[in-house]
Amino acid sequence: MVASRFPLVPVLALAAIVLMTACRTIPPPAPHNPPAPPPPLPQAPLPPSATMTLRDYLKQQLGPGFHVRAEWAGTDPAYRPQPYRYRVWAPIGVVRVVTIHHAEMHVWTDTAAMIRAIFRDHTREDGRLDAADVGYHFLVDEAGQVWEGRDAGRVGTHVGSHPPGQNNPGNLGICGLGSFLWEEPPRVMVERIVTLTALIARYYGRPLIVRGHRDWGGIHGAPIGGTSCPGKLERAVVLAEEKMRETYPPGGVAAGGIATSGASVGGAAGVGPARVSTTPASIWD
């Protein structure tokens, strides 16, 4: 066996020194820091409908100017909803329309008694409606007080159609208490109906279509204009439409990030054509 020309131990020591030097000169890998996520996009505020009922919202906004159902119906079971037999008591669905009516009866001094009379007329088994409840969701008296009618979550029976049942889904009914075929409605009533319509739209966080009763097709079999209702209370329809356009201009964004457009306010498929009336918007001149 031939001996190595170089001692083994010094060679190993030299190799160790070289390796240690190399380790000291190679920097450790940098820690992995992922990029920070982008900031969240601003969210449009949720509408009040996400957290409360329409009744509670109107009580909050109108205070003593809003009267709950119990203030006219009391505890008498005769004035509770009566959804038996084939009477309509389905959910209203997505609210897209507000329809304005007048009661076509003289004003009573006792508003609660007047609403009870309307309830009895609407729920009579041999009556024209044979309905489960008063047909309107809200009623407004000549002093501008708002009264709760049918549950706003239930489809109403305030706009007829042939075949029946086509015009009320997604349609809230507001009735002015009085007869306005020939008489002018009180200014305070008109203004409160306009305010109520705007509050309902704000509650849902989107523009709503506003119509008078006679703007609907299918009433008494007529293609449109099958009734004279709401008479001169049509002025409230004109002003409510105007306010809706001011609040939700085309190209804007409603609560919840919903885009608005002129079509959303002015008309929709299945809602019927443009209003019959051409009442000017300036109604107090």
Side-chain angles (χ1 to χ4, degrees), residues 65-240:
F66 182 79
H67 301 269
V68 297
R69 182 187 181 100
E71 293 183 63
W72 63 266
T75 58
D76 189 338
Y79 296 106
R80 295 174 185 166
Q82 302 169 11
Y84 54 82
R85 294 185 291 123
Y86 50 80
R87 290 175 165 181
V88 175
W89 197 243
I92 193 169
V94 178
V95 173
R96 301 188 183 280
V97 192
V98 172
T99 299
I100 297 172
H101 307 255
H102 71 151
E104 293 192 68
M105 58 189 295
H106 293 298
V107 176
W108 296 19
T109 55
D110 185 341
T111 300
M114 185 177 183
I115 297 174
R116 288 194 295 270
I118 294 173
F119 175 94
R120 292 192 298 271
D121 177 59
H122 286 189
T123 57
R124 280 199 346 256
E125 291 187 11
D126 61 344
R128 59 191 179 89
L129 291 184
D130 189 14
D133 199 352
V134 60
Y136 314 111
H137 297 93
F138 301 101
L139 305 99
V140 181
D141 65 25
E142 61 179 355
Q145 300 289 294
V146 178
W147 297 74
E148 180 187 24
R150 180 181 293 230
D151 183 342
R154 297 289 179 177
V155 67
T157 51
H158 55 97
V159 179
S161 64
H162 291 278
Q166 294 185 333
N167 290 337
N168 288 302
N171 183 3
L172 286 173
I174 300 175
C175 178
L177 293 174
S179 180
F180 305 112
L181 287 176
W182 310 111
E183 297 181 8
E184 295 290 340
R187 178 170 182 163
V188 67
M189 173 187 285
V190 173
E191 291 175 343
R192 183 48 59 96
I193 289 175
V194 173
T195 298
L196 176 59
T197 303
L199 286 174
I200 293 171
R202 189 186 305 168
Y203 170 77
Y204 290 109
R206 60 179 178 268
L208 300 176
I209 297 164
V210 186
R211 290 288 181 264
H213 187 184
R214 63 185 174 190
D215 299 321
W216 288 85
I219 301 171
H220 305 308
I224 193 170
T227 176
S228 59
C229 177
K232 294 190 176 184
L233 198 56
E234 176 74 18
R235 296 176 173 181
V237 181
V238 174
L239 292 182

